[in-house]
């Protein structure tokens, strides 16, 4: 687990710890010490803690003019035991919503497991973005089955054309434009 790093090739374009509008502004990362763990397994120090025991994030890019953010997730998304959506919504999403972000691209390939509960926070998030959307790129099949089981496909766009295996080869703006075009096709 400690070898799974957040994607860092866009750091020449954006660093959340240097963005005054980011919930992680001013954060220091100690690369010599592993502080956080998931079920006793240490994780890479560059993942950002959101007060959840099992879910960590990294804001890879935010564009306040085009109103989008790309956020990578890591760990077990456990709404049943830990109410992870509450921590994610309150400690990350609410900050970005307050700064005008309404289009969210979540990178889901490092979500290892999902345990659902009710959809209250998803519904709240969905209502607050009005003309925006939430897309999940690269999520695993078993995660998508669970999201469908809990009817989260009403709030989250995932699967199908959003399985973009080559997203790491793209720059942030073209990546956003591609995901946006895929979402627009789905909504029409």
């Amino acid at each position: 687990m400690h070898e799974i790093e957040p994607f860092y090739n866009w750091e020449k374009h954006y660093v959340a710890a240097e963005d005054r509008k980011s919930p992680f502004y001013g954060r220091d990362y100690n690369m010599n010490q592993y502080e956080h763990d998931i079920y006793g397994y240490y994780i890479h120090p560059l993942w950002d803690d959101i007060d959840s025991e099992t879910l960590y994030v990294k804001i890879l890019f935010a564009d306040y003019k085009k109103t989008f953010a790309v956020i990578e997730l890591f760990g077990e998304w456990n709404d049943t035991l830990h109410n992870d959506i509450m921590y994610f919504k309150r400690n990350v999403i609410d900050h970005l919503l307050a700064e005008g972000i309404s289009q969210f691209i979540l990178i889901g390939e490092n979500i290892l497991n999902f345990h659902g509960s009710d959809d209250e926070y998803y519904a709240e998030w969905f209502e607050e973005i009005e003309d925006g959307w939430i897309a999940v790129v690269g999520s695993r099949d078993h995660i998508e089955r669970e999201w469908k089981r809990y009817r989260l496909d009403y709030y989250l766009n995932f699967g199908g054309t959003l399985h973009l295996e080559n997203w790491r080869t793209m720059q942030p703006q073209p990546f956003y434009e591609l995901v946006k075009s895929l979402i627009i096709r789905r909504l029409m």
Side-chain angles (χ1 to χ4, degrees), residues 78-144:
N78 193 329
D79 291 343
T80 305
L81 296 178
H82 305 293
N83 205 7
D84 286 340
I85 186 59
M86 178 195 72
Y87 292 111
F88 185 44
K89 173 74 172 56
R90 296 291 179 247
N91 297 335
V92 180
I93 301 304
D94 285 352
H95 288 273
L96 295 172
L97 287 167
E99 297 298 337
I101 299 294
S102 63
Q103 300 164 88
F104 294 87
I105 302 171
L106 308 179
I107 306 297
E109 61 198 16
N110 287 317
I111 300 172
L112 307 174
N113 220 336
F114 175 80
H115 302 286
S117 185
D118 62 61
D119 67 352
E120 179 181 333
Y121 289 100
Y122 299 94
E124 177 184 309
W125 183 6
F126 187 75
E127 289 173 16
E128 291 173 342
I129 57 176
E130 294 182 25
D131 293 330
W133 40 262
I134 307 161
V136 186
V137 170
S139 48
R140 299 166 188 245
D141 291 338
H142 71 281
I143 304 294
E144 292 178 4

Coordinates of all heavy atoms in Angstrom, one line a residue, residues 78-144:
N78 N -15.8 3.7 2.5 CA -16.7 3.0 3.4 C -17.7 3.9 4.0 O -17.4 4.5 5.0 CB -15.8 2.3 4.5 CG -16.6 1.2 5.3 OD1 -17.8 1.4 5.4 ND2 -15.9 0.2 5.7
D79 N -18.9 4.0 3.4 CA -19.9 4.8 4.0 C -20.7 4.0 5.1 O -21.3 4.6 6.0 CB -21.0 5.1 2.9 CG -20.4 6.1 1.9 OD1 -19.4 6.7 2.2 OD2 -21.0 6.2 0.8
T80 N -20.6 2.7 5.1 CA -21.3 1.9 6.1 C -20.7 2.1 7.5 O -21.4 2.5 8.4 CB -21.2 0.4 5.8 OG1 -21.7 0.2 4.4 CG2 -22.0 -0.4 6.7
L81 N -19.4 1.9 7.7 CA -18.8 2.1 9.0 C -18.3 3.4 9.3 O -18.3 3.9 10.4 CB -17.7 1.0 9.1 CG -18.0 -0.4 9.0 CD1 -16.8 -1.3 9.1 CD2 -19.0 -0.8 10.2
H82 N -17.7 4.1 8.3 CA -17.0 5.4 8.5 C -17.6 6.6 8.0 O -17.1 7.7 8.2 CB -15.5 5.2 8.0 CG -14.8 4.0 8.6 ND1 -14.5 3.9 9.9 CD2 -14.4 2.9 8.0 CE1 -13.9 2.8 10.1 NE2 -13.8 2.1 8.9
N83 N -18.7 6.4 7.2 CA -19.4 7.6 6.6 C -18.4 8.4 5.8 O -18.4 9.7 5.9 CB -20.1 8.4 7.6 CG -21.3 9.2 7.0 OD1 -21.6 9.0 5.8 ND2 -21.9 10.1 7.8
D84 N -17.6 7.8 4.9 CA -16.6 8.5 4.2 C -17.1 9.6 3.3 O -16.4 10.6 3.1 CB -15.7 7.5 3.4 CG -14.8 6.7 4.2 OD1 -14.5 7.1 5.4 OD2 -14.4 5.6 3.8
I85 N -18.3 9.4 2.7 CA -18.8 10.4 1.9 C -19.0 11.7 2.6 O -18.8 12.8 2.1 CB -20.1 10.0 1.1 CG1 -20.6 11.1 0.1 CG2 -21.2 9.7 2.1 CD1 -19.6 11.4 -1.0
M86 N -19.4 11.6 3.9 CA -19.5 12.8 4.7 C -18.2 13.6 4.9 O -18.1 14.8 4.7 CB -20.1 12.5 6.1 CG -20.2 13.7 7.0 SD -20.4 13.3 8.8 CE -18.8 12.7 9.2
Y87 N -17.1 12.8 5.2 CA -15.8 13.5 5.3 C -15.4 14.1 4.0 O -14.8 15.2 3.9 CB -14.8 12.5 5.8 CG -15.0 12.0 7.2 CD1 -15.4 10.7 7.5 CD2 -14.8 12.9 8.3 CE1 -15.6 10.3 8.8 CE2 -15.1 12.5 9.6 CZ -15.5 11.2 9.8 OH -15.7 10.8 11.1
F88 N -15.5 13.3 2.9 CA -15.1 13.8 1.6 C -16.0 15.0 1.2 O -15.4 16.0 0.8 CB -15.3 12.7 0.6 CG -14.9 13.0 -0.8 CD1 -13.7 13.6 -1.1 CD2 -15.6 12.6 -1.9 CE1 -13.2 13.9 -2.4 CE2 -15.2 12.9 -3.2 CZ -14.0 13.5 -3.4
K89 N -17.2 15.0 1.4 CA -18.1 16.1 1.1 C -17.8 17.3 2.0 O -17.6 18.4 1.4 CB -19.6 15.7 1.3 CG -20.6 16.8 1.1 CD -20.8 17.2 -0.3 CE -21.9 18.2 -0.6 NZ -21.9 19.4 0.2
R90 N -17.7 17.2 3.3 CA -17.5 18.3 4.2 C -16.1 18.9 4.1 O -15.9 20.1 4.2 CB -17.9 17.9 5.6 CG -19.3 17.6 5.8 CD -20.2 18.8 5.7 NE -21.6 18.4 5.9 CZ -22.5 18.5 4.9 NH1 -22.2 18.9 3.7 NH2 -23.8 18.1 5.2
N91 N -15.1 18.0 4.0 CA -13.7 18.5 4.1 C -13.0 18.8 2.8 O -12.0 19.4 2.8 CB -12.9 17.4 4.9 CG -13.4 17.3 6.3 OD1 -14.0 18.2 6.9 ND2 -13.2 16.1 6.9
V92 N -13.6 18.4 1.7 CA -13.0 18.7 0.4 C -14.0 19.3 -0.6 O -13.8 20.5 -1.0 CB -12.5 17.4 -0.3 CG1 -11.8 17.7 -1.6 CG2 -11.5 16.7 0.6
I93 N -15.1 18.7 -0.8 CA -16.1 19.1 -1.8 C -16.7 20.5 -1.4 O -16.8 21.4 -2.3 CB -17.2 18.1 -2.1 CG1 -16.5 16.8 -2.6 CG2 -18.2 18.6 -3.1 CD1 -15.6 16.9 -3.8
D94 N -17.1 20.6 -0.2 CA -17.7 21.9 0.2 C -16.8 23.1 0.0 O -17.2 24.2 -0.4 CB -18.2 21.8 1.7 CG -19.5 21.0 1.8 OD1 -20.1 20.6 0.8 OD2 -19.9 20.7 3.0
H95 N -15.5 22.9 0.3 CA -14.5 24.0 0.0 C -14.5 24.3 -1.4 O -14.4 25.5 -1.8 CB -13.1 23.5 0.5 CG -13.0 23.5 2.0 ND1 -12.7 24.5 2.8 CD2 -13.2 22.4 2.8 CE1 -12.7 24.2 4.0 NE2 -13.0 22.9 4.1
L96 N -14.5 23.3 -2.3 CA -14.4 23.6 -3.7 C -15.7 24.2 -4.3 O -15.6 25.1 -5.1 CB -14.0 22.3 -4.5 CG -12.6 21.7 -4.1 CD1 -12.4 20.3 -4.7 CD2 -11.5 22.7 -4.6
L97 N -16.8 23.7 -3.8 CA -18.1 24.3 -4.2 C -18.1 25.8 -3.8 O -18.6 26.6 -4.6 CB -19.2 23.6 -3.5 CG -19.6 22.2 -4.0 CD1 -20.5 21.5 -3.0 CD2 -20.2 22.2 -5.4
A98 N -17.6 26.1 -2.6 CA -17.6 27.5 -2.2 C -16.7 28.4 -3.1 O -16.9 29.6 -3.2 CB -17.1 27.6 -0.7
E99 N -15.8 27.8 -3.8 CA -14.9 28.5 -4.7 C -15.4 28.5 -6.2 O -14.7 28.9 -7.1 CB -13.5 27.9 -4.6 CG -12.8 28.1 -3.3 CD -12.6 29.6 -2.9 OE1 -12.6 30.4 -3.8 OE2 -12.5 29.8 -1.7
G100 N -16.6 27.9 -6.4 CA -17.2 27.9 -7.7 C -17.1 26.7 -8.5 O -17.5 26.6 -9.6
I101 N -16.4 25.7 -8.0 CA -16.2 24.4 -8.7 C -17.6 23.7 -8.8 O -18.3 23.5 -7.8 CB -15.2 23.5 -8.1 CG1 -13.8 24.2 -8.0 CG2 -15.1 22.1 -8.7 CD1 -13.1 24.4 -9.3
S102 N -17.9 23.3 -10.0 CA -19.2 22.6 -10.2 C -19.1 21.3 -11.1 O -20.0 20.6 -11.3 CB -20.3 23.5 -10.8 OG -19.8 23.9 -12.1
Q103 N -17.9 21.1 -11.6 CA -17.6 19.9 -12.4 C -16.5 19.1 -11.7 O -15.4 19.7 -11.6 CB -17.2 20.3 -13.8 CG -18.3 21.1 -14.5 CD -17.8 21.8 -15.7 OE1 -17.8 21.2 -16.8 NE2 -17.3 23.0 -15.5
F104 N -16.8 17.9 -11.4 CA -15.8 17.1 -10.6 C -15.5 15.8 -11.4 O -16.3 15.1 -11.8 CB -16.4 16.7 -9.2 CG -16.6 17.9 -8.4 CD1 -17.8 18.6 -8.4 CD2 -15.7 18.3 -7.4 CE1 -18.1 19.7 -7.6 CE2 -15.9 19.4 -6.6 CZ -17.1 20.1 -6.7
I105 N -14.2 15.6 -11.6 CA -13.7 14.4 -12.1 C -12.9 13.7 -11.0 O -11.9 14.2 -10.5 CB -12.7 14.7 -13.3 CG1 -13.4 15.5 -14.4 CG2 -12.2 13.4 -13.9 CD1 -12.5 16.0 -15.5
L106 N -13.4 12.5 -10.7 CA -12.8 11.7 -9.6 C -12.1 10.6 -10.3 O -12.6 9.9 -11.2 CB -13.9 11.1 -8.7 CG -14.9 12.1 -8.1 CD1 -15.9 11.4 -7.2 CD2 -14.2 13.2 -7.3
I107 N -10.8 10.4 -9.9 CA -10.0 9.3 -10.4 C -10.2 8.1 -9.5 O -9.8 8.2 -8.3 CB -8.5 9.6 -10.6 CG1 -8.4 10.9 -11.4 CG2 -7.8 8.5 -11.1 CD1 -8.8 10.8 -12.8
G108 N -10.9 7.0 -10.0 CA -11.3 6.0 -9.1 C -10.5 4.7 -9.1 O -10.9 3.7 -8.5
E109 N -9.4 4.7 -9.9 CA -8.7 3.4 -10.0 C -8.0 2.9 -8.7 O -7.8 1.7 -8.6 CB -7.7 3.5 -11.2 CG -6.6 4.5 -10.9 CD -5.9 4.9 -12.2 OE1 -6.4 4.6 -13.3 OE2 -4.8 5.5 -12.1
N110 N -7.8 3.7 -7.8 CA -7.2 3.3 -6.5 C -8.3 3.2 -5.4 O -7.9 3.2 -4.2 CB -6.1 4.2 -6.1 CG -4.9 4.0 -6.9 OD1 -4.5 2.9 -7.2 ND2 -4.2 5.1 -7.4
I111 N -9.5 3.2 -5.7 CA -10.6 2.9 -4.8 C -10.6 1.4 -4.7 O -11.0 0.7 -5.7 CB -12.0 3.5 -5.2 CG1 -11.9 5.0 -5.3 CG2 -13.0 3.0 -4.1 CD1 -13.2 5.6 -5.9
L112 N -10.2 0.8 -3.6 CA -10.0 -0.6 -3.6 C -11.3 -1.4 -3.2 O -11.5 -2.5 -3.6 CB -8.9 -1.0 -2.6 CG -7.6 -0.2 -2.8 CD1 -6.6 -0.4 -1.7 CD2 -7.0 -0.6 -4.2
N113 N -12.2 -0.7 -2.5 CA -13.5 -1.3 -2.1 C -14.5 -0.3 -1.8 O -14.1 0.9 -1.5 CB -13.2 -2.2 -0.9 CG -14.0 -3.5 -0.9 OD1 -15.0 -3.6 -1.6 ND2 -13.5 -4.5 -0.2
F114 N -15.7 -0.6 -1.9 CA -16.8 0.4 -1.5 C -17.8 -0.4 -0.7 O -18.3 -1.5 -1.0 CB -17.4 0.9 -2.8 CG -18.6 1.8 -2.5 CD1 -18.4 3.1 -2.2 CD2 -19.9 1.3 -2.6 CE1 -19.5 4.0 -1.9 CE2 -21.0 2.1 -2.3 CZ -20.8 3.5 -2.0
H115 N -18.3 0.3 0.4 CA -19.4 -0.2 1.2 C -20.4 1.0 1.3 O -20.0 2.0 1.9 CB -18.8 -0.6 2.6 CG -17.8 -1.7 2.5 ND1 -18.1 -3.0 2.2 CD2 -16.5 -1.6 2.7 CE1 -17.0 -3.7 2.2 NE2 -16.0 -2.9 2.5
G116 N -21.5 0.8 0.8 CA -22.5 1.8 0.7 C -23.4 1.9 2.0 O -23.4 1.1 2.8
S117 N -24.1 3.0 2.0 CA -25.1 3.3 3.0 C -26.2 4.1 2.3 O -26.6 3.8 1.2 CB -24.5 4.1 4.2 OG -25.4 4.2 5.2
D118 N -26.7 5.2 2.9 CA -27.7 6.0 2.3 C -27.1 6.9 1.3 O -25.9 7.1 1.2 CB -28.6 6.7 3.3 CG -27.8 7.7 4.1 OD1 -27.2 8.6 3.6 OD2 -27.8 7.5 5.4
D119 N -27.9 7.6 0.5 CA -27.4 8.5 -0.5 C -27.6 10.0 -0.2 O -27.4 10.9 -1.0 CB -28.1 8.2 -1.9 CG -29.6 8.6 -1.8 OD1 -30.1 8.9 -0.8 OD2 -30.2 8.6 -2.9
E120 N -27.8 10.3 1.1 CA -28.0 11.7 1.5 C -26.9 12.7 1.1 O -27.2 13.7 0.5 CB -28.2 11.7 3.0 CG -28.4 13.1 3.6 CD -28.5 13.1 5.1 OE1 -28.9 12.0 5.7 OE2 -28.2 14.1 5.8
Y121 N -25.7 12.4 1.3 CA -24.6 13.3 0.9 C -24.4 13.4 -0.6 O -24.1 14.5 -1.1 CB -23.3 13.0 1.6 CG -23.3 13.2 3.1 CD1 -23.6 12.2 4.0 CD2 -23.2 14.5 3.6 CE1 -23.6 12.5 5.4 CE2 -23.2 14.8 4.9 CZ -23.4 13.8 5.8 OH -23.5 14.0 7.2
Y122 N -24.6 12.3 -1.3 CA -24.5 12.3 -2.7 C -25.6 13.2 -3.3 O -25.4 14.0 -4.2 CB -24.7 10.9 -3.3 CG -23.6 10.0 -2.8 CD1 -23.8 9.2 -1.7 CD2 -22.4 9.9 -3.5 CE1 -22.8 8.3 -1.2 CE2 -21.4 9.0 -3.0 CZ -21.6 8.2 -1.9 OH -20.6 7.4 -1.5
A123 N -26.8 13.1 -2.8 CA -28.0 13.9 -3.2 C -27.7 15.4 -3.0 O -28.0 16.2 -3.8 CB -29.3 13.5 -2.5
E124 N -27.2 15.7 -1.8 CA -26.8 17.1 -1.4 C -25.8 17.6 -2.4 O -26.0 18.8 -2.9 CB -26.3 17.1 0.0 CG -25.9 18.5 0.5 CD -25.2 18.4 1.9 OE1 -25.9 17.8 2.8 OE2 -24.1 18.9 2.0
W125 N -24.8 16.9 -2.7 CA -23.7 17.3 -3.6 C -24.3 17.5 -5.0 O -24.0 18.6 -5.6 CB -22.6 16.2 -3.6 CG -21.4 16.5 -4.4 CD1 -21.1 17.6 -5.1 CD2 -20.3 15.6 -4.6 NE1 -19.9 17.5 -5.7 CE2 -19.4 16.2 -5.5 CE3 -20.1 14.3 -4.2 CZ2 -18.2 15.6 -5.9 CZ3 -18.9 13.7 -4.6 CH2 -18.0 14.3 -5.4
F126 N -25.1 16.6 -5.4 CA -25.7 16.7 -6.8 C -26.6 17.9 -6.9 O -26.6 18.6 -7.9 CB -26.5 15.4 -7.0 CG -27.1 15.3 -8.4 CD1 -26.2 15.0 -9.5 CD2 -28.4 15.5 -8.6 CE1 -26.8 14.8 -10.7 CE2 -28.9 15.3 -9.9 CZ -28.1 15.0 -11.0
E127 N -27.4 18.2 -5.9 CA -28.2 19.4 -5.9 C -27.4 20.7 -5.9 O -27.8 21.7 -6.5 CB -29.2 19.4 -4.7 CG -30.3 18.3 -4.8 CD -31.1 18.2 -3.5 OE1 -31.0 19.1 -2.7 OE2 -31.8 17.2 -3.4
E128 N -26.3 20.7 -5.2 CA -25.5 21.9 -5.1 C -24.7 22.3 -6.3 O -24.3 23.4 -6.5 CB -24.5 21.8 -3.9 CG -25.2 21.8 -2.6 CD -24.3 21.5 -1.4 OE1 -23.2 20.9 -1.6 OE2 -24.7 21.8 -0.3
I129 N -24.5 21.3 -7.3 CA -23.8 21.7 -8.5 C -24.6 22.2 -9.6 O -24.1 22.6 -10.6 CB -22.9 20.5 -8.9 CG1 -23.7 19.2 -9.2 CG2 -21.8 20.2 -7.9 CD1 -22.9 18.1 -9.7
E130 N -25.9 22.2 -9.5 CA -26.9 22.7 -10.5 C -26.5 22.2 -11.9 O -26.9 21.1 -12.3 CB -27.0 24.2 -10.4 CG -27.6 24.7 -9.1 CD -27.7 26.2 -9.1 OE1 -27.8 26.8 -10.1 OE2 -27.8 26.7 -7.9
D131 N -25.8 23.0 -12.7 CA -25.5 22.6 -14.1 C -24.2 21.8 -14.2 O -23.8 21.6 -15.3 CB -25.4 23.9 -14.9 CG -26.8 24.6 -15.1 OD1 -27.8 23.9 -15.0 OD2 -26.8 25.8 -15.2
G132 N -23.6 21.5 -13.1 CA -22.4 20.7 -13.1 C -22.6 19.2 -13.2 O -23.7 18.8 -13.4
W133 N -21.6 18.5 -12.9 CA -21.6 17.0 -12.9 C -20.5 16.4 -12.1 O -19.5 17.1 -11.8 CB -21.6 16.5 -14.4 CG -20.7 17.2 -15.3 CD1 -21.0 18.2 -16.2 CD2 -19.3 17.0 -15.5 NE1 -19.9 18.6 -16.9 CE2 -18.8 17.9 -16.4 CE3 -18.3 16.2 -14.9 CZ2 -17.5 18.0 -16.8 CZ3 -17.0 16.3 -15.2 CH2 -16.6 17.2 -16.2
I134 N -20.6 15.1 -11.9 CA -19.6 14.3 -11.2 C -19.3 13.1 -12.0 O -20.2 12.3 -12.3 CB -20.1 13.9 -9.8 CG1 -20.6 15.0 -9.0 CG2 -19.0 13.1 -9.1 CD1 -21.5 14.6 -7.8
A135 N -18.1 13.0 -12.5 CA -17.6 11.9 -13.3 C -16.6 11.1 -12.6 O -15.7 11.7 -11.9 CB -17.1 12.4 -14.6
V136 N -16.6 9.8 -12.7 CA -15.6 9.0 -12.1 C -14.9 8.2 -13.2 O -15.5 7.5 -14.0 CB -16.1 7.9 -11.1 CG1 -15.0 7.2 -10.4 CG2 -17.0 8.6 -10.1
V137 N -13.6 8.5 -13.3 CA -12.7 7.9 -14.4 C -12.0 6.7 -13.8 O -11.4 6.8 -12.8 CB -11.8 8.9 -15.0 CG1 -10.8 8.3 -15.9 CG2 -12.5 10.0 -15.7
G138 N -12.0 5.6 -14.5 CA -11.2 4.4 -14.2 C -11.6 3.6 -13.0 O -10.7 3.0 -12.4
S139 N -12.8 3.7 -12.6 CA -13.2 2.9 -11.4 C -13.3 1.4 -11.8 O -13.5 1.0 -12.9 CB -14.6 3.4 -10.9 OG -15.5 3.5 -12.0
R140 N -13.1 0.6 -10.8 CA -13.1 -0.9 -10.9 C -14.5 -1.4 -11.1 O -15.5 -0.8 -10.5 CB -12.4 -1.5 -9.7 CG -11.0 -1.1 -9.6 CD -10.4 -1.5 -8.2 NE -9.1 -0.9 -8.0 CZ -8.0 -1.6 -7.9 NH1 -8.0 -2.9 -7.9 NH2 -6.9 -1.0 -7.7
D141 N -14.7 -2.5 -11.8 CA -16.0 -3.1 -12.0 C -16.7 -3.4 -10.8 O -17.9 -3.1 -10.7 CB -15.8 -4.4 -12.9 CG -15.4 -4.1 -14.3 OD1 -15.6 -2.9 -14.8 OD2 -14.9 -5.0 -15.0
H142 N -16.1 -4.0 -9.8 CA -16.8 -4.4 -8.5 C -17.3 -3.1 -7.8 O -18.3 -3.2 -7.1 CB -16.0 -5.3 -7.7 CG -14.8 -4.7 -7.0 ND1 -13.6 -4.5 -7.6 CD2 -14.6 -4.3 -5.7 CE1 -12.8 -3.9 -6.8 NE2 -13.4 -3.8 -5.6
I143 N -16.5 -2.0 -7.9 CA -17.0 -0.8 -7.3 C -18.2 -0.2 -8.0 O -19.2 0.2 -7.3 CB -15.8 0.3 -7.3 CG1 -14.5 -0.2 -6.7 CG2 -16.3 1.6 -6.7 CD1 -14.6 -0.5 -5.2
E144 N -18.2 -0.3 -9.3 CA -19.3 0.2 -10.1 C -20.6 -0.6 -9.8 O -21.7 0.0 -9.7 CB -19.0 0.2 -11.6 CG -17.9 1.2 -11.9 CD -17.5 1.2 -13.4 OE1 -18.1 0.4 -14.2 OE2 -16.6 1.9 -13.8

